[in-house]
Amino acid sequence: MERGQKPVRTAFAYALYQAQCGKAHPASEPPKGFGGAGVVEVCEDYDGDTYRAVYTVRFEEAIYVRHVFQKKSRSAIKTPLAEIKLIKVRLKAAEDLHSAFADKEYGL
């Protein structure tokens, strides 16, 4: 995101804060293709562009932001397949990281 997009950053920061407090941002919803895996997406429009932040609330101890991007497609609402694949890879990495953290911190 560029510097002039402060309203988008502020909206995403507020959504993440609400998630940390156990609440859902009004613009948050589960993205398609993740089967309710504790993944949440927030969309924000600014200056004719659409931005998305994808994060996971799957873990009680942490919120992991998986991807933030500007949606480039003007013709469809659908998230591009390349973005979905990247989010899935990053979700797996978050699961691994969280598992390692839990093992170390809690001796699980």
Side-chain angles (χ1 to χ4, degrees):
M1 267 185 264
E2 297 175 17
R3 292 188 67 146
Q5 298 155 336
K6 186 174 180 180
V8 175
R9 289 193 308 268
T10 301
F12 289 165
Y14 183 63
L16 292 171
Y17 171 74
Q18 286 187 304
Q20 289 173 327
C21 294
K23 299 176 183 176
H25 187 274
S28 67
E29 60 183 36
K32 291 180 175 40
F34 290 90
V39 179
V40 179
E41 177 180 67
V42 176
C43 295
E44 187 70 24
D45 293 325
Y46 176 74
D47 199 25
D49 294 316
T50 299
Y51 300 86
R52 295 182 180 191
V54 180
Y55 56 94
T56 182
V57 292
R58 171 183 245 168
F59 312 107
E60 185 176 332
E61 303 86 3
I63 304 288
Y64 292 93
V65 177
R66 303 309 349 131
H67 195 31
V68 178
F69 60 101
Q70 178 182 355
K71 188 173 168 304
K72 301 281 185 176
S73 173
R74 303 272 184 213
S75 61
I77 296 172
K78 190 174 179 181
T79 302
L81 186 58
E83 303 290 355
I84 291 173
K85 286 181 179 180
L86 180 60
I87 293 165
K88 286 182 178 183
V89 166
R90 290 178 175 176
L91 179 59
K92 175 67 174 128
E95 291 169 347
D96 294 345
L97 178 67
H98 190 77
S99 177
F101 169 76
D103 288 349
K104 182 178 176 184
E105 187 73 16
Y106 302 111
L108 302 176

